[in-house]
Amino acid sequence: MTVDEQRRPVKTAATSFAILDRLKERGTLGPTALAAELDLAKSTVHRHLKTLEQEGFVVLDDDGYRVGLRLLDFGIHARNQHNLYEVAKPKVDELAEQTGEKVWCVTEEQGRGYHLYGAGGKHSVRTPAREGTRSYLHQLAAGKAILSAFPDDRVDEIIEQHGLPAKTQDTITDRDELFEQLATIRKRGFALNLEEIVPKLHAVGVPITDQAGYPVGAISLSGPSNRLTDDRLENELANLLLGAANEVEINLSFS
């Protein structure tokens, strides 16, 4: 088998994952709707759905197919493999209670950001993010914090692989602008997100690194822009997160 053949994705597996992704995004759908949305033959979609149903990855109810609970076991197992989750969880809970805002622990895998764990304070607002959400790193305060701890060539690899798509009109979509902001983040130790993923939502994030300085994740805090002003983000909240990240880094080194 050639190197190109080894790297080439298996089409049937890719189709099954595309079906699961679409069901996750849309909820319950029937074979006809799935086939139309994925531009596939209905017979092909039906065969994949039956296989996925037999294995417990999808379930058929009165309205169509939905994601099955067997995937929950995979998700919990994947998260539990990360030392960062167990070590950062108490600190995330503490910060959410202390500030009243939404706090997240985010990690990176294959150039994308994953929300490992989140906790909401009494004033926290709802956002699209949930545990398990996969995001573009450049769109998140936590993601930019992680990028800032990578060497430039790794950041370029991530941009080459995933691009810099916009989520709002304020999202950074230019490589040079991103690198300028990463240089600022490295100097001050924290990243800001000013309506770059959700309008009227601000966030601050700080990287969590191992003893070699490699980013293992980040902690971020988000809330409404009128409450999380630039001054509060850059002083009070950034200092809180920097202290929390330092504690997590120390605990990680002895876990």
Side-chain angles (χ1 to χ4, degrees), residues 8-152:
R8 190 178 303 142
V10 179
K11 188 174 181 181
T12 52
T15 299
S16 290
F17 289 128
I19 289 170
L20 288 171
D21 269 338
R22 191 55 55 98
L23 290 177
K24 177 179 69 68
E25 293 170 4
R26 295 288 309 280
T28 304
L29 290 173
T32 302
L34 275 168
E37 293 197 12
L38 297 173
D39 195 24
L40 295 169
K42 183 179 176 181
S43 59
T44 299
V45 171
H46 189 264
R47 288 197 302 272
H48 281 272
L49 285 169
K50 283 302 177 184
T51 301
L52 291 168
E53 183 182 15
Q54 289 171 7
E55 298 299 324
F57 293 113
V58 301
V59 176
L60 177 62
D61 59 25
D62 293 339
D63 298 318
Y65 287 90
R66 59 177 173 80
V67 172
L69 285 173
R70 188 178 177 192
L71 285 167
L72 179 63
D73 184 38
F74 282 82
I76 291 173
H77 175 74
R79 184 172 71 175
N80 288 346
Q81 290 183 106
H82 282 267
N83 252 357
L84 179 61
Y85 166 65
E86 290 294 340
V87 174
K89 184 178 182 295
K91 205 65 197 174
V92 170
D93 290 334
E94 179 185 322
L95 286 168
E97 183 177 358
Q98 181 179 355
T99 63
E101 305 293 356
K102 187 71 178 185
V103 182
W104 282 106
C105 174
V106 176
T107 193
E108 175 269 338
E109 190 170 84
Q110 297 181 329
R112 297 290 291 273
Y114 288 85
H115 289 67
L116 274 186
Y117 179 71
K122 61 181 180 180
H123 301 305
S124 62
V125 295
R126 289 188 176 184
T127 71
R130 53 178 170 67
E131 292 177 3
T133 294
R134 182 176 71 165
S135 303
Y136 292 96
L137 291 169
H138 73 285
Q139 295 177 354
L140 305 171
K144 287 189 288 185
I146 291 171
L147 288 173
S148 74
F150 279 130
D152 287 350

